[in-house]
Short mmCIF file of all heavy atoms in Angstrom, two decimals:
data_model
loop_
_atom_site.label_atom_id
_atom_site.label_comp_id
_atom_site.label_asym_id
_atom_site.label_seq_id
_atom_site.Cartn_x
_atom_site.Cartn_y
_atom_site.Cartn_z
N LEU A 236 196.84 -35.50 310.74
CA LEU A 236 196.57 -36.85 310.56
C LEU A 236 195.77 -37.39 311.78
O LEU A 236 196.22 -37.16 312.90
CB LEU A 236 197.84 -37.66 310.37
CG LEU A 236 197.68 -39.14 310.15
CD1 LEU A 236 197.11 -39.45 308.80
CD2 LEU A 236 199.10 -39.81 310.38
N GLY A 237 194.68 -38.08 311.56
CA GLY A 237 193.90 -38.59 312.65
C GLY A 237 192.85 -37.66 313.19
O GLY A 237 192.07 -38.08 314.02
N ALA A 238 192.73 -36.41 312.67
CA ALA A 238 191.71 -35.47 313.19
C ALA A 238 190.32 -36.05 312.88
O ALA A 238 190.03 -36.60 311.79
CB ALA A 238 191.89 -34.17 312.47
N VAL A 239 189.42 -35.97 313.92
CA VAL A 239 188.05 -36.40 313.77
C VAL A 239 187.18 -35.22 313.54
O VAL A 239 186.83 -34.51 314.49
CB VAL A 239 187.62 -37.23 314.98
CG1 VAL A 239 186.20 -37.79 314.80
CG2 VAL A 239 188.56 -38.36 315.33
N GLN A 240 186.95 -34.97 312.27
CA GLN A 240 186.10 -33.81 311.91
C GLN A 240 184.63 -34.22 311.88
O GLN A 240 184.30 -35.32 311.49
CB GLN A 240 186.58 -33.24 310.55
CG GLN A 240 185.93 -31.98 310.15
CD GLN A 240 186.33 -31.56 308.74
OE1 GLN A 240 185.81 -32.14 307.75
NE2 GLN A 240 187.24 -30.53 308.63
N VAL A 241 183.76 -33.30 312.24
CA VAL A 241 182.32 -33.58 312.28
C VAL A 241 181.59 -32.58 311.34
O VAL A 241 181.39 -31.39 311.61
CB VAL A 241 181.75 -33.47 313.67
CG1 VAL A 241 180.31 -33.88 313.64
CG2 VAL A 241 182.55 -34.31 314.66
N PRO A 242 181.25 -33.00 310.08
CA PRO A 242 180.47 -32.16 309.16
C PRO A 242 179.05 -31.90 309.67
O PRO A 242 178.71 -32.33 310.72
CB PRO A 242 180.48 -32.97 307.86
CG PRO A 242 181.61 -33.98 308.02
CD PRO A 242 181.61 -34.27 309.47
N ALA A 243 178.30 -31.19 308.85
CA ALA A 243 176.99 -30.71 309.24
C ALA A 243 176.04 -31.86 309.53
O ALA A 243 175.08 -31.72 310.31
CB ALA A 243 176.43 -29.82 308.16
N ASP A 244 176.27 -33.10 308.95
CA ASP A 244 175.35 -34.22 309.23
C ASP A 244 175.64 -34.91 310.56
O ASP A 244 174.90 -35.77 310.93
CB ASP A 244 175.40 -35.27 308.03
CG ASP A 244 176.76 -35.85 307.88
OD1 ASP A 244 177.72 -35.59 308.71
OD2 ASP A 244 177.00 -36.65 307.01
N GLY A 245 176.69 -34.52 311.24
CA GLY A 245 176.99 -34.99 312.59
C GLY A 245 177.71 -36.32 312.55
O GLY A 245 178.01 -36.89 313.64
N GLN A 246 178.04 -36.85 311.36
CA GLN A 246 178.80 -38.19 311.26
C GLN A 246 180.23 -37.92 311.28
O GLN A 246 180.79 -37.14 310.38
CB GLN A 246 178.34 -38.90 309.98
CG GLN A 246 176.86 -39.16 309.93
CD GLN A 246 176.42 -40.12 311.04
OE1 GLN A 246 176.92 -41.23 311.21
NE2 GLN A 246 175.36 -39.73 311.79
N PRO A 247 181.03 -38.54 312.15
CA PRO A 247 182.51 -38.29 312.15
C PRO A 247 183.23 -38.76 311.02
O PRO A 247 182.95 -39.79 310.43
CB PRO A 247 182.91 -38.97 313.49
CG PRO A 247 181.86 -40.04 313.72
CD PRO A 247 180.57 -39.51 313.18
N LEU A 248 184.27 -38.12 310.69
CA LEU A 248 185.23 -38.43 309.60
C LEU A 248 186.61 -38.37 310.19
O LEU A 248 187.05 -37.34 310.64
CB LEU A 248 185.07 -37.37 308.42
CG LEU A 248 186.17 -37.29 307.37
CD1 LEU A 248 186.20 -38.56 306.59
CD2 LEU A 248 185.92 -36.08 306.52
N VAL A 249 187.34 -39.44 310.05
CA VAL A 249 188.70 -39.57 310.50
C VAL A 249 189.66 -39.38 309.32
O VAL A 249 189.64 -40.14 308.38
CB VAL A 249 189.01 -40.92 311.18
CG1 VAL A 249 190.43 -40.93 311.75
CG2 VAL A 249 188.05 -41.26 312.28
N PHE A 250 190.49 -38.36 309.39
CA PHE A 250 191.36 -38.01 308.31
C PHE A 250 192.57 -38.91 308.30
O PHE A 250 193.22 -39.20 309.30
CB PHE A 250 191.79 -36.54 308.37
CG PHE A 250 190.80 -35.62 307.80
CD1 PHE A 250 190.22 -34.59 308.68
CD2 PHE A 250 190.39 -35.66 306.47
CE1 PHE A 250 189.27 -33.73 308.15
CE2 PHE A 250 189.45 -34.79 306.00
CZ PHE A 250 188.87 -33.79 306.83
N LEU A 251 192.88 -39.40 307.04
CA LEU A 251 194.00 -40.32 306.77
C LEU A 251 195.11 -39.58 305.97
O LEU A 251 195.14 -38.33 305.97
CB LEU A 251 193.50 -41.52 306.04
CG LEU A 251 192.33 -42.28 306.73
CD1 LEU A 251 191.91 -43.48 305.97
CD2 LEU A 251 192.80 -42.73 308.18
N ALA A 252 195.99 -40.32 305.35
CA ALA A 252 197.20 -39.79 304.84
C ALA A 252 197.05 -38.64 303.85
O ALA A 252 197.87 -37.74 303.81
CB ALA A 252 198.08 -40.91 304.20
N ASP A 253 196.09 -38.68 303.00
CA ASP A 253 195.88 -37.60 301.93
C ASP A 253 194.92 -36.53 302.43
O ASP A 253 194.32 -35.86 301.60
CB ASP A 253 195.32 -38.28 300.65
CG ASP A 253 196.37 -39.17 299.94
OD1 ASP A 253 197.52 -39.23 300.39
OD2 ASP A 253 196.02 -39.77 298.94
N HIS A 254 194.81 -36.33 303.76
CA HIS A 254 193.89 -35.33 304.27
C HIS A 254 194.31 -33.90 303.81
O HIS A 254 195.43 -33.65 303.60
CB HIS A 254 193.89 -35.42 305.80
CG HIS A 254 195.22 -34.97 306.44
ND1 HIS A 254 195.54 -33.69 306.67
CD2 HIS A 254 196.26 -35.72 306.91
CE1 HIS A 254 196.74 -33.60 307.21
NE2 HIS A 254 197.21 -34.87 307.36
N PRO A 255 193.25 -32.98 303.79
CA PRO A 255 193.61 -31.55 303.51
C PRO A 255 194.35 -31.05 304.78
O PRO A 255 194.27 -31.58 305.85
CB PRO A 255 192.20 -30.91 303.38
CG PRO A 255 191.25 -31.86 304.13
CD PRO A 255 191.84 -33.20 303.97
N THR A 256 195.00 -29.96 304.58
CA THR A 256 195.80 -29.37 305.67
C THR A 256 194.96 -28.28 306.49
O THR A 256 195.39 -27.90 307.51
CB THR A 256 197.06 -28.70 305.22
OG1 THR A 256 196.78 -27.75 304.14
CG2 THR A 256 197.99 -29.78 304.62
N THR A 257 193.86 -27.89 305.90
CA THR A 257 192.94 -27.03 306.68
C THR A 257 191.48 -27.49 306.46
O THR A 257 191.26 -28.17 305.51
CB THR A 257 193.04 -25.57 306.23
OG1 THR A 257 192.68 -25.42 304.81
CG2 THR A 257 194.45 -24.97 306.39
N GLY A 258 190.64 -27.10 307.38
CA GLY A 258 189.21 -27.44 307.23
C GLY A 258 188.36 -26.54 308.05
O GLY A 258 188.84 -25.97 309.03
N GLY A 259 187.09 -26.41 307.75
CA GLY A 259 186.16 -25.46 308.36
C GLY A 259 185.14 -26.07 309.29
O GLY A 259 184.46 -25.37 310.02
N TYR A 260 185.10 -27.41 309.31
CA TYR A 260 184.18 -28.10 310.27
C TYR A 260 184.99 -28.35 311.58
O TYR A 260 186.22 -28.57 311.51
CB TYR A 260 183.71 -29.43 309.66
CG TYR A 260 182.73 -29.23 308.54
CD1 TYR A 260 183.09 -29.72 307.31
CD2 TYR A 260 181.48 -28.60 308.73
CE1 TYR A 260 182.15 -29.59 306.22
CE2 TYR A 260 180.61 -28.45 307.69
CZ TYR A 260 181.00 -28.98 306.43
OH TYR A 260 180.04 -28.83 305.36
N PRO A 261 184.29 -28.37 312.72
CA PRO A 261 185.04 -28.52 313.95
C PRO A 261 185.64 -29.88 314.15
O PRO A 261 184.98 -30.90 313.72
CB PRO A 261 183.97 -28.19 314.98
CG PRO A 261 182.64 -28.49 314.30
CD PRO A 261 182.83 -28.09 312.90
N VAL A 262 186.76 -29.97 314.78
CA VAL A 262 187.38 -31.24 315.07
C VAL A 262 187.16 -31.63 316.53
O VAL A 262 187.62 -30.83 317.41
CB VAL A 262 188.88 -31.12 314.80
CG1 VAL A 262 189.67 -32.42 315.32
CG2 VAL A 262 189.14 -31.02 313.25
N ILE A 263 186.54 -32.72 316.73
CA ILE A 263 186.10 -33.04 318.12
C ILE A 263 187.23 -33.81 318.88
O ILE A 263 187.28 -33.73 320.10
CB ILE A 263 184.84 -33.94 318.14
CG1 ILE A 263 184.20 -34.02 319.54
CG2 ILE A 263 185.07 -35.26 317.51
CD1 ILE A 263 182.85 -34.67 319.57
N GLY A 264 188.17 -34.34 318.13
CA GLY A 264 189.25 -35.06 318.70
C GLY A 264 190.24 -35.54 317.65
O GLY A 264 190.04 -35.30 316.49
#
Side-chain angles (χ1 to χ4, degrees):
L236 180 70
V239 184
Q240 190 186 72
V241 184
D244 63 3
Q246 301 295 308
L248 163 67
V249 183
F250 279 118
L251 303 179
D253 289 355
H254 66 83
T256 55
T257 61
Y260 292 117
V262 171
I263 194 172

